[in-house]
C-alpha cells in the first residue's frame, strides 16, 4: 500500500483513527482508487479483503446520497475544482454512517486532470447528538431556542412555533433584535436586557417571566430560562434557552388576587361597621356609669370591665385592619433617617416611658432606604413591647444598628421577662402570644404586622431571648429593598 503523504503510514493511520477521518485518491489514468485505513474503517470493511473501486465506493452511499456524490464529483472533474458535501454510507452490516466528503482535483501544468484526492470524515457521533437535541426539542412543550452572540443569529427548534402561537419556526424572528422588536412586550424589554447582562457578567442563573405576542398580536405570559456558554475569557458566546407558557397560571393568579382584594375590602367594610356599634356601646356604658353614682361597687366594676373590653375590641379591629391592608401593599421607598425617626417615636411614647421609668439608650443610627411610615410602625411596636414585657428589674432598653455588606440591621434589646424557646417562632404569627404574658394586655397582632412589613422590604425579623434575662428583636433590611 502506498500513500501520498511523507509521514510514515503508521502515524497517518493513528491520526485518522483519532480524528475519525480517512483519505482517498482516484487516479484518472488507470482508474485505480486508493483508500487509507481510515476509509476502510468508516466503511466497516477489512482492508485486506477488499480492493476499492470507484463503482463500489459510490455503491456504498444510500441511493439518494449516491446521486449527490456523483454529481459533485462530476462537477469538480469538469471544472477542475473542489467539493464538500454531507452524505450517508451504509455499511455491509446495514448500519448508517454520516460523513462529510471532501474532494479536490490534481492537475498537471497543462491543466490536465491527473487525480482526485479526497478526505472522508465520519460525523455520525455529532449527528447523533444533533438528533437527540432535535428529538428532545420536539418532545418538549416549551419553545426551544439557540442564540449565537457573535452573529446575533436566533434559531428555533422543536415545536417552538406552535408553543408561541405561530405556524412554522420559520415565521419566528431570526435575530434577537427582531425578537425584542416584534415579539417581546415593550414593558418587558428592560427587564430581559438586565437579566441577560446579569447572567453574562455575574453568571447568575437566567430566569424571567415575560409577555410574548402571538401571530394575532395578542400577548401571552411565558417563563423563560436560559444558559450561556462562555469562552476562555469568560465572554458569553452562545446561549440556549426555553420558554414555557404560564398564561393559565397567570390567569388563576389574577383571579386569586382579585378575590383577595375583594376579601380585604369586605373585611375592611365589615370591621368599620362593627367598630361603630362597639364604640356606641362603650359610650352608653360610660354614660350609665356616670349617671348611676348609686351603683354598688360590684356593678361599678362590671361597667369598668365592659368599657375596657369595648376599647380593647376597637384596638384589635384597628390592628386587624392594619394587618389586612399590608396584604398587597406597595412600598413608598425613601431615604429614612432612622436616628431621627427613633427619637420621634420615643418622644411619642413619653407617657409610657415615664410610667415605667424605663431608661432607653440609643447608639448612633444610620439612614436607610425604606418606607418611612411602615418602618415607624415596626420600631414603635418593638419599643412598646420592650416597655410592656418587663421583669421586676428597672427597664433598660438599648437601640443599636449595624451595617453588613448588603443590609442594615436594627436591634432593640431589653432586660425584660424574656421568651421561652418554644414561643420564639410562633410569636410572629397572628394572635400568638408567649406563655409568660401574665396580665399584660395585648392582641398578638403587632409582631405579625412587623413581619409583613419587613417581608415587603425583602428583609427578615427575628428574636434572641433568654427567659428572665431579656430579649433582642432584630430586623434586617437590604440596602436595596
Ligand atoms: P401583643 O404585644 O399585642 O401581644 P405582639 O405581636 O406584639 O402582640 O407580640 C406577640 C407576643 O410576643 C407577645 O404577646 C409577647 O408574649 C411576646 N413578646 C413580644 N415582645 C416581647 C418582648 N420584648 N419581651 C418578651 N416577650 C415579648
Amino acid at each position: 500500500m502506498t500513500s501520498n503523504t511523507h509521514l510514515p503510514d503508521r502515524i497517518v493511520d493513528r491520526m485518522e483513527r483519532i480524528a475519525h477521518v480517512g483519505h482517498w485518491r482516484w487516479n484518472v489514468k488507470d482508474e485505480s482508487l486508493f483508500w487509507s485505513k481510515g476509509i476502510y474503517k468508516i466503511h466497516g470493511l477489512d482492508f485486506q479483503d477488499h480492493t476499492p473501486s470507484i463503482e463500489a465506493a459510490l455503491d456504498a452511499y444510500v441511493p439518494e446520497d449516491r446521486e449527490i456524490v456523483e454529481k459533485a464529483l462530476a462537477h469538480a472533474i469538469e471544472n477542475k475544482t473542489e467539493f464538500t458535501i454531507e452524505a450517508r454510507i451504509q455499511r455491509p452490516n446495514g448500519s448508517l454512517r454520516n460523513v462529510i466528503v471532501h474532494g479536490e482535483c490534481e492537475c498537471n501544468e497543462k491543466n490536465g486532470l491527473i487525480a482526485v484526492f479526497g478526505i472522508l470524515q465520519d460525523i455520525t457521533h455529532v449527528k447523533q447528538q444533533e438528533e437527540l437535541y432535535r428529538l428532545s426539542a420536539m418532545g418538549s412543550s416549551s419553545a426551544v431556542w439557540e442564540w449565537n452572540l457573535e452573529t446575533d443569529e436566533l434559531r428555533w427548534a422543536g415545536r417552538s412555533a406552535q408553543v408561541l402561537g405561530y405556524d412554522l419556526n420559520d415565521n419566528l424572528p431570526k435575530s434577537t433584535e427582531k425578537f425584542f422588536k416584534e415579539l417581546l412586550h415593550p414593558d418587558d424589554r428592560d427587564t430581559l436586557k438586565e437579566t441577560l447582562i446579569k447572567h453574562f457578567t455575574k453568571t447568575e442563573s437566567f430566569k424571567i417571566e415575560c409577555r410574548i405576542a402571538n401571530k394575532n398580536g395578542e400577548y401571552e405570559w411565558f417563563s423563560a430560562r436560559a444558559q450561556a456558554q462562555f469562552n476562555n475569557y469568560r465572554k458569553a458566546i452562545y446561549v440556549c434557552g426555553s420558554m414555557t407558557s404560564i398564561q393559565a397560571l397567570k390567569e388563576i393568579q389574577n383571579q386569586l388576587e382579585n378575590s383577595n382584594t375583594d376579601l380585604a375590602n369586605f373585611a375592611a367594610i365589615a370591621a368599620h361597621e362593627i367598630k361603630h356599634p362597639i364604640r356606641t356601646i362603650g359610650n352608653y356604658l360610660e354614660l350609665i356609669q356616670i349617671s348611676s353614682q348609686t351603683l354598688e361597687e360590684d356593678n361599678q366594676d362590671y361597667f369598668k370591665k365592659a368599657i375596657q373590653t369595648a376599647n380593647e375590641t376597637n384596638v384589635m379591629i384597628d390592628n386587624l385592619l392594619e394587618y389586612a391592608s399590608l396584604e398587597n401593599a406597595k412600598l413608598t421607598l425613601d431615604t429614612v433617617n432612622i436616628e431621627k425617626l427613633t427619637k420621634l417615636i420615643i418622644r411619642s411614647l413619653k407617657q409610657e416611658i415615664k410610667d415605667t421609668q424605663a431608661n432607653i439608650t440609643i447608639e448612633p443610627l444610620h439612614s436607610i432606604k425604606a418606607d418611612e411610615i411602615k418602618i415607624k410602625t415596626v420600631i414603635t411596636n418593638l419599643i412598646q413591647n420592650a416597655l410592656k414585657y418587663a421583669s421586676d428589674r428597672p427597664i433598660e432598653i438599648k437601640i443599636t444598628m449595624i451595617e453588613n455588606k448588603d443590609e442594615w440591621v436594627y436591634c432593640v434589646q431589653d432586660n425584660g421577662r424574656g421568651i421561652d424557646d418554644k414561643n420564639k417562632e410562633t410569636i410572629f404569627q397572628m394572635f400568638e402570644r408567649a406563655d409568660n404574658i401574665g396580665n399584660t394586655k395585648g392582641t398578638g397582632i403587632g409582631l405579625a404586622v412587623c413581619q409583613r412589613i419587613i417581608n415587603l422590604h425583602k428583609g427578615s425579623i427575628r428574636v434572641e431571648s433568654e427567659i428572665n434575662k431579656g430579649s433582642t428583636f432584630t430586623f434586617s433590611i437590604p440596602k436595596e429593598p
Side-chain angles (χ1 to χ4, degrees):
M1 183 177 71
T2 53
S3 95
N4 287 358
T5 173
H6 299 298
L7 287 170
D9 282 354
R10 64 188 167 78
I11 302 284
V12 175
D13 293 347
R14 203 153 145 201
M15 279 164 42
E16 291 193 342
R17 200 177 59 247
I18 293 166
H20 304 283
V21 296
H23 67 277
W24 53 271
R25 190 169 183 273
W26 179 59
N27 197 328
V28 174
K29 204 169 164 192
D30 58 5
E31 295 203 348
S32 64
L33 180 65
F34 162 80
W35 274 8
S36 72
K37 275 192 190 157
I39 301 276
Y40 283 100
K41 189 164 178 266
I42 293 170
H43 279 79
L45 293 167
D46 192 333
F47 75 98
Q48 277 154 345
D49 312 340
H50 187 88
T51 312
S53 71
I54 194 75
E55 243 342 276
L58 288 170
D59 272 350
Y61 291 96
V62 298
E64 310 94 273
D65 294 355
R66 177 192 166 127
E67 217 175 295
I68 300 168
V69 179
E70 271 179 337
K71 269 194 189 150
L73 190 61
H75 182 269
I77 291 171
E78 195 182 327
N79 299 291
K80 318 275 172 20
T81 54
E82 54 181 37
F83 67 93
T84 304
I85 48 162
E86 233 185 271
R88 283 158 303 164
I89 282 176
Q90 186 162 27
R91 285 180 172 172
N93 67 5
S95 67
L96 290 179
R97 306 303 295 176
N98 296 87
V99 291
I100 290 180
V101 194
H102 177 81
E104 59 186 35
C105 293
E106 286 176 16
C107 298
N108 59 22
E109 55 283 4
K110 289 181 189 144
N111 206 24
L113 187 69
I114 304 170
V116 185
F117 175 81
I119 298 281
L120 203 63
Q121 187 184 3
D122 190 339
I123 55 160
T124 313
H125 52 296
V126 180
K127 283 279 163 189
Q128 274 167 352
Q129 291 295 330
E130 279 178 17
E131 184 61 4
L132 207 67
Y133 169 70
R134 196 186 67 80
L135 287 177
S136 49
M138 283 304 288
S140 163
S141 54
S142 307
V144 181
W145 50 271
E146 300 164 47
W147 173 28
N148 182 333
L149 269 88
E150 273 154 14
T151 58
D152 190 29
E153 191 194 354
L154 194 58
R155 275 176 44 188
W156 301 89
R159 300 173 53 250
S160 294
Q162 287 98 310
V163 175
L164 297 178
Y166 291 79
D167 299 326
L168 298 167
N169 283 357
D170 277 350
N171 302 137
L172 297 172
K174 305 227 168 17
S175 70
T176 51
E177 200 194 328
K178 282 197 163 166
F179 171 77
F180 269 79
K181 223 190 304 170
E182 294 167 11
L183 256 60
L184 189 63
H185 193 289
D187 293 351
D188 296 335
R189 287 176 193 162
D190 287 345
T191 328
L192 179 57
K193 271 185 203 160
E194 273 166 34
T195 317
L196 275 172
I197 290 168
K198 273 190 195 154
H199 181 56
F200 293 161
T201 51
K202 298 186 195 161
T203 55
E204 271 178 29
S205 65
F206 178 102
K207 209 169 125 190
I208 188 182
E209 287 183 0
C210 57
R211 282 154 290 180
I212 307 280
N214 64 20
K215 69 173 177 187
N216 302 322
E218 294 151 357
Y219 285 98
E220 255 193 52
W221 277 100
F222 281 85
S223 158
R225 282 168 172 271
Q227 180 59 54
Q229 193 185 28
F230 297 89
N231 67 11
N232 287 346
Y233 305 104
R234 300 201 57 71
K235 185 177 173 244
I237 47 169
Y238 184 81
V239 191
C240 208
S242 67
M243 280 193 259
T244 314
S245 174
I246 49 164
Q247 182 62 23
L249 249 165
K250 282 278 171 189
E251 277 162 20
I252 294 170
Q253 198 178 332
N254 269 348
Q255 280 168 12
L256 264 171
E257 270 166 20
N258 288 342
S259 57
N260 267 351
T261 315
D262 288 350
L263 214 68
N265 288 342
F266 169 77
I269 293 164
H272 276 295
E273 294 299 310
I274 296 166
K275 260 183 88 162
H276 182 69
I278 289 175
R279 196 178 307 121
T280 312
I281 293 169
N283 290 344
Y284 279 125
L285 286 171
E286 270 176 33
L287 283 175
I288 299 170
Q289 194 190 27
I290 293 164
S291 60
S292 313
Q293 298 298 344
T294 51
L295 277 180
E296 285 172 19
E297 211 175 296
D298 267 2
N299 290 338
Q300 283 280 2
D301 196 37
Y302 293 150
F303 269 108
K304 225 164 110 191
K305 283 193 174 131
I307 294 164
Q308 205 180 350
T309 310
N311 289 339
E312 281 166 17
T313 312
N314 265 330
V315 171
M316 179 178 271
I317 292 170
D318 282 338
N319 289 347
L320 271 172
L321 277 173
E322 184 169 23
Y323 182 80
S325 73
L326 290 167
E327 168 72 17
N328 286 319
K330 297 238 153 44
L331 294 180
T332 310
L333 292 177
D334 229 326
T335 305
V336 185
N337 183 329
I338 294 292
E339 186 160 327
K340 218 164 130 190
L341 183 69
T342 305
K343 284 181 177 161
L344 190 90
I345 293 167
I346 288 172
R347 265 203 300 279
S348 71
L349 297 172
K350 205 166 59 190
Q351 195 54 49
E352 281 116 305
I353 295 169
K354 201 172 156 206
D355 292 348
T356 54
Q357 294 183 343
N359 179 33
I360 304 183
T361 49
I362 309 176
E363 291 201 349
L365 309 174
H366 306 265
S367 290
I368 66 169
K369 213 191 243 180
D371 184 312
E372 180 154 8
I373 295 174
K374 295 193 174 60
I375 288 299
K376 188 176 172 200
T377 305
V378 176
I379 297 176
T380 309
N381 257 307
L382 297 185
I383 299 177
Q384 267 176 333
N385 280 350
L387 291 168
K388 259 185 359 186
Y389 299 103
S391 64
D392 300 336
R393 295 179 292 274
I395 302 175
E396 291 287 342
I397 300 172
K398 193 171 158 194
I399 299 171
T400 53
M401 198 168 171
I402 47 172
E403 181 179 7
N404 285 341
K405 189 170 163 261
D406 299 320
E407 58 178 17
W408 291 106
V409 184
Y410 187 96
C411 311
V412 179
Q413 185 186 2
D414 66 47
N415 64 341
R417 65 186 77 164
I419 303 162
D420 207 338
D421 276 352
K422 70 173 190 297
N423 296 133
K424 279 182 192 161
E425 293 290 322
T426 52
I427 52 168
F428 291 98
Q429 291 164 18
M430 278 289 267
F431 306 123
E432 291 289 345
R433 307 190 71 199
D435 298 333
N436 58 349
I437 43 168
N439 293 326
T440 314
K441 295 266 175 273
T443 59
I445 303 175
L447 287 179
V449 168
C450 293
Q451 188 166 51
R452 264 204 174 173
I453 293 175
I454 298 301
N455 284 350
L456 282 173
H457 284 80
K458 303 266 182 270
S460 60
I461 184 165
R462 58 199 167 274
V463 63
E464 275 168 29
S465 185
E466 212 174 311
I467 215 90
N468 291 329
K469 287 223 166 123
S471 315
T472 304
F473 279 84
T474 308
F475 69 80
S476 48
I477 291 205
K479 287 184 177 168
E480 287 304 323

